[in-house]
Amino acid sequence: MSEMAMSLAALAGFMVGALAVLFYRNQIEAPSRTQPAGDADTGSLPQGVASVLAVLPSSAVVLDAEDRVLRASSAARAFGLVKGDRLMAAELLALARQVRRDGEIRETEIDVAGHKFGQEITNFAVRVAPLGSHGQVLVLAEDQTERRRVEAVRRDFVANVSHELKTPVGALSLLAETIQDAADDPEAVTRFAGRMQHEAARLTYLVQDLITLSRIQGAEPIPTPGQVDIDQAVHDAIDHCNTRAGAKDITLVAGGAEGLRVWGDDELLVTALRNLIDNAVAYSPEHTRVVVSVRPAGDSVEISVSDQGIGIPEESLERIFERFFRVDAARSRATGGTGLGLAIVKHVAMAHAGEVSVWSKEGSGSTFTLRLPAFGGTAIAVPSTSPLEAAR
């Protein structure tokens, strides 16, 4: 049983016990107040039960002996489990009838179409228990759709990491064996040693990106944001990328407004910009330009990185910021890409209460834009000795 199901079982056990106590007390007290217990109204809830159900965070439904809904939480109606006085999920209704017949508590998981918040399928952990002695049944359903999605993402992430690590590690092992066998051939040793350095660098980049991503993937705000000089951040990012760009004779150009500042963490912002520039260089042909431009945008600052590269197919635009997603896997691996760069950019933007967007057209290049909250609430350029001139 999953952790969520175990939590639901514990909650349901407590609630069933509490409701049973309330029902029992109501049955004991009722004869002295009104009439014999045998004449009790089987179509109404025991005293206090409605109040308990009202505070439950999960979807809660109480059915009478005729399968009519006596009480349903707002969550149950929002998810479409209940309409009017009817339980709409046939699987739940069948389970409730079984519980009514034999008095045994049952647990299961069900998928329900007829969704909430745009979900096509909602997954519930369900617990159904008898309530009292008049055929009433309590149904508790906990939405665990998001939890299952997160678990699936985690499994995919682990699988992808394992695959990505296995490639350079395997290559290093094979190259080491080859060097050992070619010990008497200095030229071969030099060639294979260079390959080992390349694979080791690729492994280093992957580990560094994983560490960075683990720091920021919770989408939590920066704990101690400060004033970040965008001119300096752009200059530092370009400086990191100059060697790789120079190898392809790609010119890195910085321009736009100067003296702008944002709230944030300068190291993370430089990392995000470096990843955008590296990505632009990797997917651009030789002898082209990559332009980094900055402009004020009301209460935000926009930093755009534009290239003249191969562009991104329209069907890939929605997935471009996913971890390990590559538009051109062969090109990415050939250039040492880890497939995590744009995911890091997205999470850095989220951590700064900002956003990142992309415009692209196949054959015409791409433009990625970071939009970040301005320092002081308004994007105003201030005089400064800008490092952008040095980068031009």
Side-chain angles (χ1 to χ4, degrees):
M1 183 182 295
S2 66
E3 183 180 340
M4 174 64 75
M6 292 176 66
S7 300
L8 177 60
L11 173 62
F14 170 77
M15 293 310 306
V16 169
L19 294 174
V21 169
L22 286 170
F23 184 85
Y24 177 75
R25 187 175 64 182
N26 184 66
Q27 293 296 91
I28 293 297
E29 294 175 354
S32 62
R33 291 195 307 266
T34 53
Q35 55 187 347
D39 297 329
D41 181 4
T42 61
S44 61
L45 290 176
Q47 183 180 4
V49 171
S51 299
V52 174
L53 293 177
V55 300
L56 282 177
S58 56
S59 299
V61 181
V62 177
L63 299 176
D64 67 10
E66 304 299 326
D67 291 333
R68 291 192 303 268
V69 174
L70 295 180
R71 177 72 61 171
S73 66
S74 57
R77 296 187 183 278
F79 279 114
L81 295 177
V82 173
K83 289 185 179 179
D85 65 349
R86 291 297 172 187
L87 185 63
M88 303 305 295
E91 191 173 351
L92 278 183
L93 192 57
L95 200 62
R97 288 168 178 168
Q98 291 178 11
V99 170
R100 185 182 295 115
R101 282 196 301 268
D102 57 28
E104 293 184 7
I105 296 174
R106 285 182 167 81
E107 297 173 357
T108 189
E109 292 186 9
I110 65 170
D111 291 325
V112 177
H115 46 284
K116 177 186 180 185
F117 304 139
Q119 298 173 349
E120 294 182 359
I121 297 293
T122 303
N123 177 264
F124 291 98
V126 176
R127 186 177 174 91
V128 183
L131 182 62
S133 58
H134 296 295
Q136 294 177 352
V137 176
L138 172 66
V139 178
L140 293 177
E142 185 75 22
D143 175 22
Q144 55 180 14
T145 308
E146 180 63 16
R147 181 185 180 86
R148 293 187 72 180
R149 187 193 67 80
V150 170
E151 288 176 349
V153 169
R154 185 182 295 115
R155 286 194 300 270
D156 290 344
F157 181 65
V158 171
N160 283 323
V161 168
S162 301
H163 174 75
E164 295 294 334
L165 287 173
K166 184 169 61 177
T167 302
V169 169
L172 285 171
S173 176
L174 182 61
L175 287 166
E177 291 179 8
T178 305
I179 286 178
Q180 189 175 25
D181 294 338
D184 297 331
D185 186 349
E187 184 179 342
V189 169
T190 300
R191 184 171 68 256
F192 291 129
R195 287 295 305 164
M196 288 185 72
Q197 288 180 329
H198 174 79
E199 294 297 338
R202 179 179 171 185
L203 187 59
T204 299
Y205 292 142
L206 178 58
V207 172
Q208 288 176 340
D209 282 351
L210 287 171
I211 292 172
T212 301
L213 193 58
S214 68
R215 284 179 54 200
I216 59 176
Q217 65 181 351
E220 297 177 358
I222 303 299
T224 54
Q227 184 180 173
V228 179
D229 185 339
I230 292 299
D231 297 345
Q232 186 64 51
V234 170
H235 170 71
D236 291 346
I238 288 178
D239 190 51
H240 275 96
C241 302
N242 265 325
T243 301
R244 183 172 294 186
K248 297 178 67 174
D249 191 26
I250 292 176
T251 304
L252 302 182
V253 180
E258 299 180 8
L260 294 174
R261 290 167 169 78
V262 299
W263 279 105
D265 181 295
D266 55 352
E267 182 180 348
L268 285 179
L269 288 178
V270 170
T271 297
L273 291 173
R274 175 174 57 80
N275 282 324
L276 287 178
I277 297 170
D278 271 343
N279 188 71
V281 170
Y283 288 91
S284 292
E286 296 179 350
H287 318 303
T288 56
R289 298 199 316 167
V290 171
V291 179
V292 184
S293 59
V294 181
R295 74 181 189 92
D299 59 355
S300 301
V301 174
E302 291 185 352
I303 312 166
S304 297
V305 177
S306 302
D307 62 59
Q308 299 169 288
I310 62 175
I312 303 169
E314 185 175 356
E315 63 271 15
S316 298
L317 286 175
E318 292 184 359
R319 301 189 59 196
I320 196 67
F321 296 104
E322 292 180 12
R323 288 172 267 189
F324 296 112
F325 179 79
R326 295 177 172 95
V327 174
D328 186 338
R331 179 191 292 260
S332 179
R333 290 192 173 93
T335 57
T338 65
L340 294 173
L342 293 180
I344 289 174
V345 173
K346 181 187 74 171
H347 285 289
V348 168
M350 292 169 62
H352 285 77
E355 61 182 4
V356 59
S357 58
V358 58
W359 173 91
S360 186
K361 184 178 180 180
E362 286 189 272
S364 299
S366 305
T367 297
F368 288 84
T369 301
L370 265 176
R371 185 182 179 95
L372 304 168
F375 178 81
T378 305
I380 301 176
V382 297
S384 65
T385 304
S386 173
L388 293 184
E389 292 296 334
R392 289 193 176 105

